[in-house]
Every structure is written in structure tokens, then in C-alpha cells.
Amino acid sequence: MPSIIIVAGPSEGDYYPLKSGTIVIGRQESCPIQVADDRVSRKHLQIRQHDGKHLAVDMKSANGVWINGRKIDGECELCDEDELILGESKLVYSAQEFPDRESAFTHYKQRGERHRSTLM
């Protein structure tokens, strides 16, 4: 089961397995994934499952949604290790499920080590 890991921002360290159906991410307390960031709209981003894929849709947020450095318009298919920017927060979409948030964060940190240059 894919998951979302919040890796930077006020909600850093939160981990959410993505169940089937539609999930809304936003600042509002009623959102299944709440991001406590003043620059995140109350209902900022929708992730829905369709044909075995997860699609991200900006819900007309004030500050937009950025995936891997590009602002999205319309639907965008999520791929393993995509980085999503919402306000001042960074989220990572993972195609795998983890037993708990500690193992999810450890996976993210190890992934970061793989991408770091060895040349100084």
C-alpha cells in the first residue's frame, strides 16, 4: 500500500498509508492528512486512486502544488519517491508501505544518502 511521508515543515515526521479511494490533504482538521502549515490551504490537494495508480489534483489552493519542482495543473500521476511541495512543507510519495513511521523516515533518509554527491 503506497504512503505519504511528511519530511519537512511543521508536520515533519508524520506518515500516512494511502488507503483506496480519495484522500484530501490540507490544513483543515477534518482532512485525512492534516498539514499544520499556514501556507497550506484548508483543502489543498486530493490524491485519488484510479486503475491502480495514484493521481494528484490541486484543489485550487492559494499557493499551488509542486511535484519534483514543477507546478501542476490538472491531474498528475504520482511515481515512487515523488516530492510534493505544499506551502512550506515537503511530502514524499512512496509506492511502498512501512510498518511504522520510524521505518518510513529511515527509508527516506537512506534514499537521501543515495542521492547525495560523494564529491566535495
Side-chain angles (χ1 to χ4, degrees):
M1 180 182 314
S3 56
I4 292 287
I5 308 164
I6 302 179
V7 298
S11 298
E12 181 178 328
D14 288 354
Y15 161 72
Y16 300 92
L18 294 176
K19 298 177 175 77
S20 61
T22 300
I23 302 289
V24 175
I25 301 174
R27 195 179 70 241
Q28 190 169 308
E29 287 182 21
S30 64
C31 289
I33 300 179
Q34 184 184 18
V35 180
D37 181 332
D38 291 337
R39 295 197 61 215
V40 171
S41 297
R42 285 176 279 161
K43 292 184 178 179
H44 199 103
L45 174 70
Q46 180 184 85
I47 297 178
R48 66 182 184 88
Q49 189 174 17
H50 180 70
D51 291 336
K53 302 173 185 176
H54 281 94
L55 304 172
V57 180
D58 186 353
M59 296 184 74
K60 299 180 183 173
S61 63
N63 294 308
V65 176
W66 300 78
I67 298 180
N68 299 327
R70 297 180 65 188
K71 189 172 184 176
I72 66 167
D73 281 331
E75 287 184 340
C76 179
E77 182 180 340
L78 292 173
C79 297
D80 191 32
E81 299 187 358
D82 276 350
E83 293 185 349
L84 296 81
I85 303 293
L86 285 68
E88 298 293 325
S89 298
K90 183 189 324 184
L91 293 71
V92 172
Y93 171 83
S94 178
Q96 59 186 312
E97 182 179 5
F98 302 95
D100 54 35
R101 79 179 212 178
E102 287 78 23
S103 58
F105 225 72
T106 299
H107 172 79
Y108 169 73
K109 288 178 184 177
Q110 289 172 344
R111 178 188 73 89
E113 291 295 318
R114 289 193 306 265
H115 293 289
R116 193 170 66 182
S117 173
T118 56
L119 301 174
M120 297 292 175

